[in-house]
Amino acid sequence: MDRETDDVLGAVGQRLRALRRDRGITLAALAATTGVSESTLSRLESGQRRATLELLLPLARIYDVPLDDLVGAPSTGDPRIHLKPIQRFGMVFIPLSRRPGGVHAFKMIIPARPKPLEPTPQTHEGFEWLYVLNGRLRLVLGARDLTLPPGEAAEFDTSVPHWLGSADGAAVELLILFGLQGVHAHVRSGSHP
């Protein structure tokens, strides 16, 4: 084994002794609970016995700690998801979901402009649900021209001519769920029978 593995395994005994003492458990009581002999446990804690999975699993259960904590395993990699923004129609779409088919989630950013753009409604297959996070969204939907402040949501069939933009030229941030035709977002509040 390499030196790093030896160092990790060598520190296991110290962790085991500290856990046992913190919990006020004697070697005899631990041996009775785990089925591992008292002498083996003593040698394990003193570093005279190399830790094995067969010995560590019952101890992890008794101490109610993850096996990684017993061996001092390095933490796993970076948990952040690095998504690639997409730029379309002068707006930024950040995909929040990666599964093919079904409903897709995006954060959409409409950048600030000195003068708001003129609407150019488009149509396409699908159904859209949106929620305004920041800014004031102008939603042109068919003959309707709506302004949505932060906290407001809207849903619509995308076969209806529609356009999204800033109501006042300031930046707008929103969340969008986009699904195939006939897929709707269902929002419930309160308790239901």
Side-chain angles (χ1 to χ4, degrees), residues 22-137:
D22 285 348
R23 287 171 171 70
I25 303 171
T26 65
L27 278 174
L30 188 58
T33 308
T34 62
V36 177
S37 74
E38 193 173 333
S39 66
T40 298
L41 290 170
S42 176
R43 290 188 351 251
L44 190 59
E45 285 185 2
S46 67
Q48 296 172 0
R49 168 90 189 242
R50 188 169 288 277
T52 64
L53 194 56
E54 183 179 85
L55 294 172
L56 293 177
L57 283 174
L59 294 171
R61 270 189 233 109
I62 295 298
Y63 294 138
D64 193 27
V65 296
L67 193 57
D68 285 355
D69 288 357
L70 286 183
V71 297
S75 61
T76 56
D78 187 346
R80 295 175 295 179
I81 298 171
H82 301 281
L83 302 170
K84 295 184 188 244
I86 301 163
Q87 298 214 5
R88 281 196 192 138
F89 314 113
M91 297 176 270
V92 178
F93 295 84
I94 302 167
L96 302 176
S97 59
R98 293 186 246 181
R99 128 188 128 121
V103 176
H104 295 271
F106 297 90
K107 178 176 182 183
M108 181 176 160
I109 301 168
I110 301 170
R113 298 187 185 282
K115 180 180 171 197
L117 294 175
E118 284 301 312
T120 53
Q122 305 289 320
T123 64
H124 52 87
E125 288 293 316
F127 201 85
E128 202 164 287
W129 180 90
L130 59 85
Y131 178 84
V132 181
L133 296 168
N134 290 305
R136 293 168 32 91
L137 176 71

Side-chain angles (χ1 to χ4, degrees), residues 1 45 48 80 83 102 117 144 147 156 173 184 188 193:
M1 283 191 211
E45 285 185 2
Q48 296 172 0
R80 295 175 295 179
L83 302 170
L117 294 175
R144 301 186 77 179
T147 299
F156 54 91
E173 294 179 48
H184 298 263
R188 293 189 168 99

